[in-house]
CSV table of all heavy atoms in Angstrom, one decimal:
chain,number,residue,atom,x,y,z
A,11,HIS,N,103.2,107.8,110.9
A,11,HIS,CA,104.2,106.8,110.5
A,11,HIS,C,104.5,107.0,109.0
A,11,HIS,O,105.6,107.1,108.6
A,11,HIS,CB,103.7,105.4,110.8
A,11,HIS,CG,104.7,104.4,110.3
A,11,HIS,ND1,104.6,103.8,109.1
A,11,HIS,CD2,105.8,103.8,110.9
A,11,HIS,CE1,105.5,102.9,108.9
A,11,HIS,NE2,106.3,102.9,110.0
A,12,ASP,N,103.4,107.0,108.2
A,12,ASP,CA,103.6,107.1,106.8
A,12,ASP,C,104.2,108.5,106.4
A,12,ASP,O,105.1,108.5,105.5
A,12,ASP,CB,102.2,107.0,106.1
A,12,ASP,CG,101.6,105.6,106.3
A,12,ASP,OD1,102.3,104.7,106.9
A,12,ASP,OD2,100.5,105.4,105.9
A,15,VAL,N,107.9,108.1,107.2
A,15,VAL,CA,108.5,107.2,106.1
A,15,VAL,C,108.8,108.1,104.9
A,15,VAL,O,110.0,108.0,104.4
A,15,VAL,CB,107.6,106.0,105.8
A,15,VAL,CG1,108.1,105.3,104.6
A,15,VAL,CG2,107.6,105.1,107.0
A,16,GLU,N,107.9,108.8,104.4
A,16,GLU,CA,108.1,109.6,103.2
A,16,GLU,C,109.1,110.7,103.5
A,16,GLU,O,110.0,111.0,102.6
A,16,GLU,CB,106.8,110.2,102.8
A,16,GLU,CG,106.9,110.9,101.4
A,16,GLU,CD,105.6,111.2,100.8
A,16,GLU,OE1,104.5,110.7,101.2
A,16,GLU,OE2,105.6,111.9,99.7
A,31,ARG,N,113.8,103.6,98.2
A,31,ARG,CA,112.6,102.9,98.2
A,31,ARG,C,111.9,103.1,99.6
A,31,ARG,O,112.6,103.2,100.6
A,31,ARG,CB,112.8,101.4,98.0
A,31,ARG,CG,113.4,101.1,96.6
A,31,ARG,CD,113.8,99.6,96.5
A,31,ARG,NE,114.3,99.4,95.2
A,31,ARG,CZ,113.5,98.8,94.2
A,31,ARG,NH1,112.2,98.5,94.5
A,31,ARG,NH2,114.0,98.6,93.0
A,32,ALA,N,110.6,103.2,99.5
A,32,ALA,CA,109.8,103.5,100.8
A,32,ALA,C,108.5,102.8,100.8
A,32,ALA,O,107.7,102.9,99.8
A,32,ALA,CB,109.6,105.0,101.0
A,33,ASP,N,108.2,102.1,101.9
A,33,ASP,CA,106.9,101.5,102.0
A,33,ASP,C,105.9,102.5,102.5
A,33,ASP,O,106.3,103.5,103.0
A,33,ASP,CB,107.1,100.4,103.1
A,33,ASP,CG,106.0,99.3,103.0
A,33,ASP,OD1,105.3,99.2,102.0
A,33,ASP,OD2,105.8,98.6,104.0
A,34,HIS,N,104.6,102.3,102.2
A,34,HIS,CA,103.5,103.2,102.7
A,34,HIS,C,103.5,104.5,101.9
A,34,HIS,O,103.0,105.5,102.5
A,34,HIS,CB,103.6,103.4,104.2
A,34,HIS,CG,103.8,102.2,105.0
A,34,HIS,ND1,102.8,101.3,105.3
A,34,HIS,CD2,104.9,101.8,105.7
A,34,HIS,CE1,103.3,100.3,106.0
A,34,HIS,NE2,104.6,100.6,106.3
A,35,THR,N,104.0,104.6,100.7
A,35,THR,CA,104.0,105.8,100.0
A,35,THR,C,103.9,105.5,98.5
A,35,THR,O,104.4,104.5,98.1
A,35,THR,CB,105.2,106.7,100.3
A,35,THR,OG1,105.1,107.9,99.5
A,35,THR,CG2,106.5,106.0,100.0
A,38,TYR,N,107.5,106.5,96.0
A,38,TYR,CA,108.7,105.7,95.9
A,38,TYR,C,108.3,104.2,95.6
A,38,TYR,O,107.3,103.8,96.1
A,38,TYR,CB,109.6,105.7,97.1
A,38,TYR,CG,110.2,107.1,97.4
A,38,TYR,CD1,109.5,108.0,98.2
A,38,TYR,CD2,111.3,107.5,96.8
A,38,TYR,CE1,110.0,109.3,98.4
A,38,TYR,CE2,111.9,108.8,97.0
A,38,TYR,CZ,111.2,109.7,97.8
A,38,TYR,OH,111.7,110.9,98.0
A,39,PRO,N,109.1,103.4,94.9
A,39,PRO,CA,108.8,102.0,94.8
A,39,PRO,C,109.0,101.3,96.2
A,39,PRO,O,109.7,101.8,97.1
A,39,PRO,CB,109.9,101.5,93.9
A,39,PRO,CG,110.9,102.5,93.8
A,39,PRO,CD,110.3,103.8,94.2
A,40,ASP,N,108.3,100.2,96.4
A,40,ASP,CA,108.4,99.4,97.6
A,40,ASP,C,109.8,98.8,97.8
A,40,ASP,O,110.4,98.3,96.9
A,40,ASP,CB,107.3,98.3,97.6
A,40,ASP,CG,105.9,98.8,97.7
A,40,ASP,OD1,105.7,100.0,98.2
A,40,ASP,OD2,105.0,98.1,97.3
A,41,PRO,N,110.3,98.8,99.1
A,41,PRO,CA,111.5,98.2,99.3
A,41,PRO,C,111.4,96.7,99.1
A,41,PRO,O,110.3,96.1,99.3
A,41,PRO,CB,111.8,98.5,100.8
A,41,PRO,CG,110.9,99.6,101.2
A,41,PRO,CD,109.7,99.5,100.3
A,48,VAL,N,109.4,93.6,105.1
A,48,VAL,CA,109.6,94.8,104.3
A,48,VAL,C,110.0,95.9,105.2
A,48,VAL,O,109.2,96.3,106.0
A,48,VAL,CB,108.3,95.1,103.5
A,48,VAL,CG1,108.5,96.4,102.7
A,48,VAL,CG2,107.9,93.9,102.6
A,49,PRO,N,111.2,96.5,105.0
A,49,PRO,CA,111.6,97.6,105.8
A,49,PRO,C,110.8,98.9,105.4
A,49,PRO,O,110.2,98.9,104.3
A,49,PRO,CB,113.1,97.8,105.6
A,49,PRO,CG,113.3,97.1,104.3
A,49,PRO,CD,112.2,96.0,104.1
A,50,ASP,N,110.9,99.9,106.2
A,50,ASP,CA,110.2,101.2,105.8
A,50,ASP,C,110.9,101.9,104.7
A,50,ASP,O,110.2,102.4,103.8
A,50,ASP,CB,110.0,102.1,107.0
A,50,ASP,CG,109.0,101.5,108.0
A,50,ASP,OD1,107.9,101.0,107.5
A,50,ASP,OD2,109.2,101.7,109.2
A,51,VAL,N,112.2,102.0,104.8
A,51,VAL,CA,113.0,102.8,103.8
A,51,VAL,C,114.3,102.1,103.5
A,51,VAL,O,114.9,101.6,104.5
A,51,VAL,CB,113.3,104.2,104.3
A,51,VAL,CG1,114.0,105.0,103.2
A,51,VAL,CG2,112.0,105.0,104.6
A,52,THR,N,114.7,102.0,102.3
A,52,THR,CA,116.0,101.5,101.9
A,52,THR,C,116.6,102.5,100.9
A,52,THR,O,115.8,103.2,100.2
A,52,THR,CB,116.0,100.1,101.3
A,52,THR,OG1,115.2,100.1,100.1
A,52,THR,CG2,115.4,99.1,102.3
Side-chain angles (χ1 to χ4, degrees):
H11 177 266
D12 296 355
V15 167
E16 190 165 349
R31 296 172 176 265
D33 201 17
H34 312 287
T35 177
Y38 296 93
D40 290 337
V48 178
D50 288 322
V51 181
T52 61

